[in-house]
Amino acid sequence: MNRLLKHLTCLLFSAMALPALAAERIDADRQQRFGDVTVHYSTFSSTFLQPQLARQLQLIRSKQQGVINLTVLKQGQPQAAQVSGSLKSLTGDSLPLNFRVIRETGAIYYVAQYPVPQQQTRIFDLKVETGGVTHRFSFNQELFPDP
């Protein structure tokens, strides 16, 4: 009986810890620093894009589509990079993020879309390679489809 109680207690604490792990602190500045390289990132619903801009960028506007946008700066200047990553559920399901490069005067953006079929917490695992050096980071984000 005592052994069963220990197992149940362990299971209960594990179940209670899962939401805490999922709610890992998101960097308020939405950036990661790696020496003189800074990666800024944001996630948002694709419906926040104006229709004309979405068409121009070849992005799908949908209540069930999200967008992740990254910029890579080296000493404050836009930096070319190889950006890749995946979107994972808390159960371990993984979906690759296919980043596209968008170049504008004085800026370089790396953009990928992902599905948001329902409210859920997802883990973004990202890899940014620039100047022959690979930087990795991840963050959790609670996602909501637009109503």
mmCIF file of all heavy atoms in Angstrom, residues 45 47-48 62-65 116-119 143-147:
data_model
loop_
_atom_site.group_PDB
_atom_site.id
_atom_site.type_symbol
_atom_site.label_atom_id
_atom_site.label_comp_id
_atom_site.label_asym_id
_atom_site.label_seq_id
_atom_site.Cartn_x
_atom_site.Cartn_y
_atom_site.Cartn_z
ATOM 1 N N SER A 45 -1.480 35.644 -35.267
ATOM 2 C CA SER A 45 -2.472 35.079 -36.180
ATOM 3 C C SER A 45 -2.302 35.717 -37.555
ATOM 4 O O SER A 45 -2.093 36.931 -37.667
ATOM 5 C CB SER A 45 -3.886 35.355 -35.657
ATOM 6 O OG SER A 45 -4.834 34.983 -36.637
ATOM 7 N N THR A 47 -4.470 36.457 -39.575
ATOM 8 C CA THR A 47 -5.531 37.422 -39.870
ATOM 9 C C THR A 47 -5.124 38.848 -39.488
ATOM 10 O O THR A 47 -5.790 39.793 -39.888
ATOM 11 C CB THR A 47 -6.850 37.053 -39.166
ATOM 12 O OG1 THR A 47 -6.621 36.998 -37.753
ATOM 13 C CG2 THR A 47 -7.383 35.720 -39.675
ATOM 14 N N PHE A 48 -4.039 39.006 -38.731
ATOM 15 C CA PHE A 48 -3.551 40.347 -38.419
ATOM 16 C C PHE A 48 -2.892 41.007 -39.630
ATOM 17 O O PHE A 48 -2.694 42.220 -39.640
ATOM 18 C CB PHE A 48 -2.562 40.323 -37.244
ATOM 19 C CG PHE A 48 -3.207 40.072 -35.921
ATOM 20 C CD1 PHE A 48 -2.703 39.109 -35.078
ATOM 21 C CD2 PHE A 48 -4.322 40.784 -35.503
ATOM 22 C CE1 PHE A 48 -3.288 38.859 -33.842
ATOM 23 C CE2 PHE A 48 -4.928 40.545 -34.284
ATOM 24 C CZ PHE A 48 -4.402 39.574 -33.447
ATOM 25 N N SER A 62 -5.886 33.172 -42.534
ATOM 26 C CA SER A 62 -6.900 32.232 -42.085
ATOM 27 C C SER A 62 -7.000 32.308 -40.572
ATOM 28 O O SER A 62 -5.995 32.539 -39.889
ATOM 29 C CB SER A 62 -6.525 30.805 -42.504
ATOM 30 O OG SER A 62 -7.340 29.861 -41.852
ATOM 31 N N LYS A 63 -8.193 32.061 -40.059
ATOM 32 C CA LYS A 63 -8.395 32.049 -38.615
ATOM 33 C C LYS A 63 -7.627 30.913 -37.950
ATOM 34 O O LYS A 63 -7.398 30.926 -36.751
ATOM 35 C CB LYS A 63 -9.884 31.919 -38.296
ATOM 36 C CG LYS A 63 -10.676 33.128 -38.697
ATOM 37 C CD LYS A 63 -12.136 32.941 -38.389
ATOM 38 C CE LYS A 63 -12.906 34.192 -38.768
ATOM 39 N NZ LYS A 63 -14.320 34.103 -38.379
ATOM 40 N N GLN A 64 -7.224 29.925 -38.733
ATOM 41 C CA GLN A 64 -6.524 28.764 -38.178
ATOM 42 C C GLN A 64 -5.084 28.659 -38.686
ATOM 43 O O GLN A 64 -4.527 27.570 -38.736
ATOM 44 C CB GLN A 64 -7.303 27.491 -38.491
ATOM 45 C CG GLN A 64 -8.644 27.463 -37.802
ATOM 46 C CD GLN A 64 -9.367 26.156 -37.985
ATOM 47 O OE1 GLN A 64 -9.122 25.409 -38.923
ATOM 48 N NE2 GLN A 64 -10.265 25.856 -37.061
ATOM 49 N N GLN A 65 -4.489 29.809 -39.023
ATOM 50 C CA GLN A 65 -3.084 29.842 -39.445
ATOM 51 C C GLN A 65 -2.339 30.887 -38.626
ATOM 52 O O GLN A 65 -2.795 32.023 -38.488
ATOM 53 C CB GLN A 65 -2.957 30.212 -40.930
ATOM 54 C CG GLN A 65 -3.304 29.115 -41.885
ATOM 55 C CD GLN A 65 -2.199 28.061 -41.939
ATOM 56 O OE1 GLN A 65 -1.019 28.369 -42.058
ATOM 57 N NE2 GLN A 65 -2.601 26.808 -41.841
ATOM 58 N N VAL A 116 -3.176 26.346 -36.562
ATOM 59 C CA VAL A 116 -3.684 26.537 -35.206
ATOM 60 C C VAL A 116 -5.138 26.052 -35.203
ATOM 61 O O VAL A 116 -6.066 26.838 -35.258
ATOM 62 C CB VAL A 116 -3.609 28.018 -34.765
ATOM 63 C CG1 VAL A 116 -4.036 28.163 -33.298
ATOM 64 C CG2 VAL A 116 -2.225 28.595 -34.968
ATOM 65 N N PRO A 117 -5.335 24.724 -35.169
ATOM 66 C CA PRO A 117 -6.691 24.197 -35.260
ATOM 67 C C PRO A 117 -7.522 24.387 -33.986
ATOM 68 O O PRO A 117 -8.739 24.400 -34.038
ATOM 69 C CB PRO A 117 -6.477 22.708 -35.537
ATOM 70 C CG PRO A 117 -5.132 22.419 -34.962
ATOM 71 C CD PRO A 117 -4.327 23.684 -35.125
ATOM 72 N N GLN A 118 -6.834 24.537 -32.846
ATOM 73 C CA GLN A 118 -7.529 24.687 -31.567
ATOM 74 C C GLN A 118 -6.596 25.360 -30.577
ATOM 75 O O GLN A 118 -5.396 25.488 -30.835
ATOM 76 C CB GLN A 118 -7.950 23.329 -31.027
ATOM 77 C CG GLN A 118 -6.752 22.430 -30.743
ATOM 78 C CD GLN A 118 -7.150 20.996 -30.479
ATOM 79 O OE1 GLN A 118 -8.219 20.572 -30.870
ATOM 80 N NE2 GLN A 118 -6.298 20.256 -29.806
ATOM 81 N N GLN A 119 -7.148 25.794 -29.446
ATOM 82 C CA GLN A 119 -6.315 26.381 -28.408
ATOM 83 C C GLN A 119 -5.370 25.310 -27.884
ATOM 84 O O GLN A 119 -5.778 24.205 -27.563
ATOM 85 C CB GLN A 119 -7.173 26.904 -27.269
ATOM 86 C CG GLN A 119 -6.354 27.485 -26.139
ATOM 87 C CD GLN A 119 -7.210 27.951 -24.985
ATOM 88 O OE1 GLN A 119 -8.427 28.004 -25.076
ATOM 89 N NE2 GLN A 119 -6.563 28.287 -23.891
ATOM 90 N N LEU A 143 -1.345 29.095 -28.159
ATOM 91 C CA LEU A 143 -1.903 29.523 -29.437
ATOM 92 C C LEU A 143 -3.418 29.419 -29.404
ATOM 93 O O LEU A 143 -3.973 28.505 -28.790
ATOM 94 C CB LEU A 143 -1.350 28.659 -30.567
ATOM 95 C CG LEU A 143 0.171 28.596 -30.680
ATOM 96 C CD1 LEU A 143 0.577 27.574 -31.734
ATOM 97 C CD2 LEU A 143 0.738 29.973 -31.014
ATOM 98 N N PHE A 144 -4.071 30.364 -30.078
ATOM 99 C CA PHE A 144 -5.520 30.381 -30.173
ATOM 100 C C PHE A 144 -5.921 30.638 -31.616
ATOM 101 O O PHE A 144 -5.400 31.565 -32.241
ATOM 102 C CB PHE A 144 -6.100 31.541 -29.340
ATOM 103 C CG PHE A 144 -5.752 31.500 -27.888
ATOM 104 C CD1 PHE A 144 -4.596 32.105 -27.420
ATOM 105 C CD2 PHE A 144 -6.592 30.878 -26.992
ATOM 106 C CE1 PHE A 144 -4.269 32.079 -26.083
ATOM 107 C CE2 PHE A 144 -6.278 30.836 -25.647
ATOM 108 C CZ PHE A 144 -5.119 31.450 -25.179
ATOM 109 N N PRO A 145 -6.866 29.855 -32.159
ATOM 110 C CA PRO A 145 -7.402 30.228 -33.459
ATOM 111 C C PRO A 145 -8.232 31.492 -33.299
ATOM 112 O O PRO A 145 -8.797 31.724 -32.230
ATOM 113 C CB PRO A 145 -8.254 29.035 -33.875
ATOM 114 C CG PRO A 145 -8.549 28.315 -32.609
ATOM 115 C CD PRO A 145 -7.459 28.657 -31.631
ATOM 116 N N ASP A 146 -8.285 32.305 -34.323
ATOM 117 C CA ASP A 146 -9.121 33.505 -34.253
ATOM 118 C C ASP A 146 -10.581 33.098 -34.159
ATOM 119 O O ASP A 146 -10.997 32.139 -34.818
ATOM 120 C CB ASP A 146 -8.919 34.375 -35.493
ATOM 121 C CG ASP A 146 -7.917 35.470 -35.275
ATOM 122 O OD1 ASP A 146 -7.385 35.587 -34.157
ATOM 123 O OD2 ASP A 146 -7.666 36.230 -36.221
ATOM 124 N N PRO A 147 -11.365 33.797 -33.357
ATOM 125 C CA PRO A 147 -12.788 33.456 -33.254
ATOM 126 C C PRO A 147 -13.550 33.800 -34.531
ATOM 127 O O PRO A 147 -13.161 34.496 -35.354
ATOM 128 C CB PRO A 147 -13.288 34.299 -32.092
ATOM 129 C CG PRO A 147 -12.227 35.259 -31.760
ATOM 130 C CD PRO A 147 -10.985 34.853 -32.482
#
